[in-house]
Amino acid sequence: GESVGLHLPTLSVQEGDNSIINCAYSNSASDYFIWYKQESGKGPQFIIDIRSNMDKRQGQRVTVLLNKTVKHLSLQIAATQPGDSAVYFCAENRPGNTPLVFGKGTRLSVIA
Amino acid sequence: EPEVTQTPSHQVTQMGQEVILRCVPISNHLYFYWYRQILGQKVEFLVSFYNNEISEKSEIFDDQFSVERPDGSNFTLKIRSTKLEDSAMYFCASNQRGGGTGELFFGEGSRLTVL
Protein backbone atom coordinates (compact mmCIF):
# COMPACT_ATOMS: atom_id res chain seq x y z
CA GLY A 1 0.00 0.00 0.00
CA GLU A 2 1.00 3.62 -0.20
CA SER A 3 3.15 4.78 2.64
CA VAL A 4 5.72 7.21 3.86
CA GLY A 5 9.10 5.67 4.65
CA LEU A 6 12.73 6.46 5.34
CA HIS A 7 15.93 5.26 3.70
CA LEU A 8 18.08 5.15 6.86
CA PRO A 9 16.89 4.21 10.33
CA THR A 10 19.97 5.64 12.11
CA LEU A 11 22.41 8.40 11.37
CA SER A 12 25.52 9.36 13.33
CA VAL A 13 27.27 12.66 12.64
CA GLN A 14 30.08 14.64 14.17
CA GLU A 15 29.17 17.81 15.98
CA GLY A 16 29.51 20.70 13.59
CA ASP A 17 28.94 18.63 10.47
CA ASN A 18 25.85 18.90 8.33
CA SER A 19 23.17 16.20 8.58
CA ILE A 20 20.89 14.98 5.84
CA ILE A 21 17.87 12.88 6.69
CA ASN A 22 15.93 11.36 3.83
CA CYS A 23 12.34 10.30 3.33
CA ALA A 24 10.50 8.63 0.47
CA TYR A 25 6.80 8.98 -0.06
CA SER A 26 4.68 7.02 -2.46
CA ASN A 27 1.47 9.01 -2.76
CA SER A 28 1.99 11.45 -5.60
CA ALA A 29 -1.19 13.24 -4.55
CA SER A 30 0.30 14.37 -1.23
CA ASP A 31 0.57 18.13 -1.23
CA TYR A 32 1.96 19.06 2.17
CA PHE A 33 4.91 17.68 4.08
CA ILE A 34 6.24 18.27 7.56
CA TRP A 35 9.36 17.27 9.43
CA TYR A 36 9.00 16.56 13.13
CA LYS A 37 11.65 16.09 15.78
CA GLN A 38 10.98 13.76 18.69
CA GLU A 39 13.25 13.80 21.70
CA SER A 40 13.23 10.88 24.09
CA GLY A 41 10.02 10.73 26.13
CA LYS A 42 8.46 13.72 24.41
CA GLY A 43 5.89 14.40 21.74
CA PRO A 44 6.76 15.25 18.14
CA GLN A 45 7.84 18.84 17.67
CA PHE A 46 7.32 20.71 14.42
CA ILE A 47 10.52 21.66 12.61
CA ILE A 48 9.63 22.79 9.13
CA ASP A 49 7.03 22.23 6.45
CA ILE A 50 6.80 22.51 2.70
CA ARG A 51 3.99 22.51 0.18
CA SER A 52 4.12 20.63 -3.09
CA ASN A 53 4.33 23.83 -5.13
CA MET A 54 7.80 24.44 -3.68
CA ASP A 55 11.01 22.46 -3.94
CA LYS A 56 13.00 24.10 -1.16
CA ARG A 57 12.30 25.88 2.08
CA GLN A 58 14.75 27.19 4.61
CA GLY A 59 14.45 27.78 8.30
CA GLN A 60 16.93 28.44 11.03
CA ARG A 61 19.75 25.92 10.41
CA VAL A 62 17.32 23.60 8.63
CA THR A 63 16.40 23.21 5.00
CA VAL A 64 13.77 20.94 3.51
CA LEU A 65 14.07 19.81 -0.09
CA LEU A 66 11.23 18.26 -2.04
CA ASN A 67 11.75 16.32 -5.25
CA LYS A 68 8.34 15.46 -6.61
CA THR A 69 9.78 13.65 -9.61
CA VAL A 70 11.18 10.88 -7.42
CA LYS A 71 8.86 11.47 -4.47
CA HIS A 72 11.70 12.29 -2.13
CA LEU A 73 11.92 14.62 0.84
CA SER A 74 15.04 15.52 2.78
CA LEU A 75 15.88 17.50 5.88
CA GLN A 76 19.25 19.18 6.06
CA ILE A 77 20.56 20.38 9.40
CA ALA A 78 23.53 22.71 9.25
CA ALA A 79 26.26 22.64 11.88
CA THR A 80 24.65 19.79 13.81
CA GLN A 81 24.66 20.22 17.56
CA PRO A 82 24.26 17.71 20.42
CA GLY A 83 20.79 19.11 21.01
CA ASP A 84 19.79 17.92 17.55
CA SER A 85 20.04 14.30 18.70
CA ALA A 86 16.52 12.91 18.36
CA VAL A 87 14.30 10.85 16.10
CA TYR A 88 13.16 12.71 13.01
CA PHE A 89 9.90 11.87 11.28
CA CYS A 90 8.63 13.04 7.96
CA ALA A 91 4.88 13.27 7.60
CA GLU A 92 2.68 13.75 4.59
CA ASN A 93 -0.72 15.22 4.16
CA ARG A 94 -2.98 14.00 1.43
CA PRO A 95 -5.47 16.39 -0.18
CA GLY A 96 -8.56 17.34 1.73
CA ASN A 97 -9.01 17.52 5.44
CA THR A 98 -7.08 14.32 6.07
CA PRO A 99 -4.79 13.54 8.99
CA LEU A 100 -1.03 13.54 8.80
CA VAL A 101 0.59 10.22 7.98
CA PHE A 102 3.97 9.67 9.60
CA GLY A 103 6.97 7.78 8.33
CA LYS A 104 9.02 5.36 10.43
CA GLY A 105 11.61 7.82 11.72
CA THR A 106 15.38 8.23 11.63
CA ARG A 107 17.43 8.43 14.79
CA LEU A 108 20.07 11.13 14.60
CA SER A 109 23.01 10.78 17.00
CA VAL A 110 25.45 13.65 17.29
CA ILE A 111 28.95 12.71 18.33
CA ALA A 112 30.67 15.42 20.35
CA GLU B 1 3.77 29.72 24.52
CA PRO B 2 0.48 27.80 24.44
CA GLU B 3 0.79 24.05 24.56
CA VAL B 4 -1.19 20.85 24.50
CA THR B 5 -1.23 19.20 27.92
CA GLN B 6 -1.91 15.55 28.65
CA THR B 7 -2.64 13.55 31.79
CA PRO B 8 -1.62 11.16 33.13
CA SER B 9 1.97 11.03 31.95
CA HIS B 10 2.07 7.32 32.71
CA GLN B 11 -0.66 4.85 33.55
CA VAL B 12 -0.32 1.18 34.37
CA THR B 13 -3.45 -0.92 34.14
CA GLN B 14 -4.57 -4.51 34.12
CA MET B 15 -5.79 -6.10 30.92
CA GLY B 16 -9.54 -5.68 30.56
CA GLN B 17 -9.69 -2.47 32.58
CA GLU B 18 -11.01 0.82 31.24
CA VAL B 19 -8.62 3.70 30.75
CA ILE B 20 -9.31 7.36 30.13
CA LEU B 21 -6.54 9.58 28.81
CA ARG B 22 -7.07 13.29 29.06
CA CYS B 23 -5.91 16.18 26.93
CA VAL B 24 -6.32 19.94 27.03
CA PRO B 25 -5.77 21.24 23.49
CA ILE B 26 -4.60 24.75 22.75
CA SER B 27 -7.52 27.05 23.51
CA ASN B 28 -8.22 28.55 20.09
CA HIS B 29 -7.74 25.32 18.17
CA LEU B 30 -10.70 23.63 16.54
CA TYR B 31 -9.34 20.29 15.34
CA PHE B 32 -8.24 17.60 17.75
CA TYR B 33 -6.43 14.33 17.22
CA TRP B 34 -5.20 11.24 18.98
CA TYR B 35 -2.14 9.41 17.72
CA ARG B 36 -0.44 6.32 19.10
CA GLN B 37 3.19 5.27 19.11
CA ILE B 38 4.20 1.77 20.06
CA LEU B 39 7.73 1.72 21.50
CA GLY B 40 10.31 2.23 18.77
CA GLN B 41 7.75 2.49 16.00
CA LYS B 42 6.19 5.29 14.01
CA VAL B 43 3.43 7.61 15.12
CA GLU B 44 0.07 6.22 14.01
CA PHE B 45 -3.13 8.16 13.51
CA LEU B 46 -6.12 7.06 15.58
CA VAL B 47 -8.86 9.64 15.26
CA SER B 48 -9.63 13.24 14.41
CA PHE B 49 -12.39 15.30 15.97
CA TYR B 50 -14.03 18.51 14.86
CA ASN B 51 -17.23 20.29 15.74
CA ASN B 52 -18.04 17.77 18.46
CA GLU B 53 -17.86 14.73 16.25
CA ILE B 54 -15.36 12.30 14.81
CA SER B 55 -14.27 13.45 11.36
CA GLU B 56 -11.99 10.53 10.56
CA LYS B 57 -10.70 7.38 12.25
CA SER B 58 -8.20 4.70 11.42
CA GLU B 59 -8.53 0.92 11.48
CA ILE B 60 -6.88 0.92 14.90
CA PHE B 61 -9.75 2.95 16.35
CA ASP B 62 -12.19 0.08 16.83
CA ASP B 63 -15.24 -0.21 19.07
CA GLN B 64 -13.04 -0.36 22.16
CA PHE B 65 -12.04 3.26 21.62
CA SER B 66 -14.09 6.38 22.03
CA VAL B 67 -13.41 10.10 22.24
CA GLU B 68 -15.28 12.87 23.93
CA ARG B 69 -15.10 16.58 24.48
CA PRO B 70 -17.05 16.78 27.72
CA ASP B 71 -16.57 20.50 28.22
CA GLY B 72 -14.95 23.46 26.49
CA SER B 73 -11.42 22.46 27.28
CA ASN B 74 -10.90 18.71 27.71
CA PHE B 75 -10.60 16.09 24.99
CA THR B 76 -10.53 12.49 26.19
CA LEU B 77 -9.65 9.12 24.76
CA LYS B 78 -11.31 6.12 26.40
CA ILE B 79 -10.24 2.53 25.93
CA ARG B 80 -13.08 0.40 27.18
CA SER B 81 -11.33 -2.91 27.79
CA THR B 82 -7.59 -2.67 27.43
CA LYS B 83 -5.51 -5.32 25.72
CA LEU B 84 -1.80 -6.00 26.02
CA GLU B 85 -1.26 -4.57 22.54
CA ASP B 86 -2.74 -1.24 23.62
CA SER B 87 0.50 -0.55 25.48
CA ALA B 88 1.93 2.53 23.78
CA MET B 89 2.45 6.26 24.01
CA TYR B 90 -0.71 8.13 23.20
CA PHE B 91 -0.32 11.63 21.84
CA CYS B 92 -2.99 14.27 21.68
CA ALA B 93 -2.62 16.98 19.05
CA SER B 94 -4.53 20.01 17.89
CA ASN B 95 -4.49 22.69 15.24
CA GLN B 96 -6.56 25.60 14.10
CA ARG B 97 -7.54 24.67 10.60
CA GLY B 98 -7.43 20.93 10.11
CA GLY B 99 -5.26 18.70 7.97
CA GLY B 100 -2.96 20.16 5.35
CA THR B 101 -3.28 23.68 6.60
CA GLY B 102 -0.63 24.16 9.16
CA GLU B 103 1.35 22.93 12.08
CA LEU B 104 -0.03 20.18 14.25
CA PHE B 105 0.84 20.74 17.91
CA PHE B 106 1.47 17.64 20.00
CA GLY B 107 1.32 17.06 23.72
CA GLU B 108 4.03 15.28 25.66
CA GLY B 109 2.12 12.03 25.55
CA SER B 110 0.59 9.56 27.98
CA ARG B 111 2.38 6.27 28.35
CA LEU B 112 -0.03 3.38 28.80
CA THR B 113 1.25 0.08 30.09
CA VAL B 114 -1.19 -2.83 30.05
CA LEU B 115 -0.22 -5.82 32.19
Side-chain angles (χ1 to χ4, degrees):
Chain A
E2 294 181 327
S3 64
V4 177
L6 290 161
H7 294 306
L8 296 173
T10 60
L11 178 66
S12 296
V13 297
Q14 289 289 137
E15 181 179 359
D17 287 353
N18 297 334
S19 302
I20 300 176
I21 301 171
N22 296 303
C23 175
Y25 66 94
S26 57
N27 190 333
S28 57
S30 292
D31 59 1
Y32 180 58
F33 305 88
I34 304 179
W35 279 100
Y36 279 90
K37 173 185 180 183
Q38 187 180 27
E39 297 176 18
S40 180
K42 295 189 175 182
Q45 180 183 12
F46 174 93
I47 302 173
I48 192 167
D49 60 358
I50 189 167
R51 295 205 171 273
S52 58
N53 61 351
M54 303 172 68
D55 52 22
K56 180 178 180 179
R57 190 158 189 234
Q58 287 185 292
Q60 187 177 15
R61 278 202 310 120
V62 294
T63 301
V64 55
L65 299 177
L66 175 63
N67 186 331
K68 295 182 287 294
T69 303
V70 295
K71 300 190 193 69
H72 185 267
L73 194 68
S74 68
L75 176 70
Q76 299 179 358
I77 304 174
T80 313
Q81 302 168 359
D84 295 327
S85 293
V87 177
Y88 290 80
F89 293 94
C90 64
E92 66 175 321
N93 218 148
R94 292 148 191 183
N97 192 14
T98 59
L100 281 177
V101 174
F102 282 79
K104 291 184 181 177
T106 293
R107 180 174 299 281
L108 175 65
S109 295
V110 181
I111 304 165
Chain B
E1 185 175 329
E3 59 182 14
V4 176
T5 58
Q6 291 185 239
T7 55
S9 57
H10 188 193
Q11 181 156 355
V12 180
T13 190
Q14 295 290 325
M15 189 170 56
Q17 295 296 304
E18 176 183 283
V19 162
I20 298 176
L21 305 179
R22 292 182 168 79
C23 169
V24 179
I26 294 172
S27 61
N28 63 343
H29 286 185
L30 301 176
Y31 296 81
F32 315 116
Y33 308 82
W34 282 101
Y35 281 79
R36 177 182 85 173
Q37 185 179 33
I38 294 171
L39 185 64
Q41 298 189 24
K42 66 180 181 180
V43 179
E44 300 174 292
F45 169 74
L46 291 178
V47 65
S48 58
F49 192 86
Y50 170 71
N51 199 26
N52 284 320
E53 61 183 23
I54 291 174
S55 49
E56 190 163 349
K57 60 183 180 180
S58 71
E59 293 175 352
I60 303 168
F61 195 88
D62 61 22
D63 292 344
Q64 294 298 314
F65 291 88
S66 62
V67 289
E68 194 178 29
R69 188 158 163 82
D71 52 43
S73 59
N74 289 284
F75 179 51
T76 62
L77 174 69
K78 181 192 289 186
I79 308 174
R80 191 169 302 116
S81 177
T82 51
K83 303 184 289 287
L84 294 176
E85 55 265 37
D86 293 328
S87 295
M89 283 289 286
Y90 288 82
F91 292 105
C92 175
S94 69
N95 64 3
Q96 284 186 310
R97 293 174 289 174
T101 52
E103 180 180 349
L104 193 58
F105 292 82
F106 284 84
E108 296 278 274
S110 293
R111 179 174 298 283
L112 176 64
T113 301
V114 182
L115 302 176

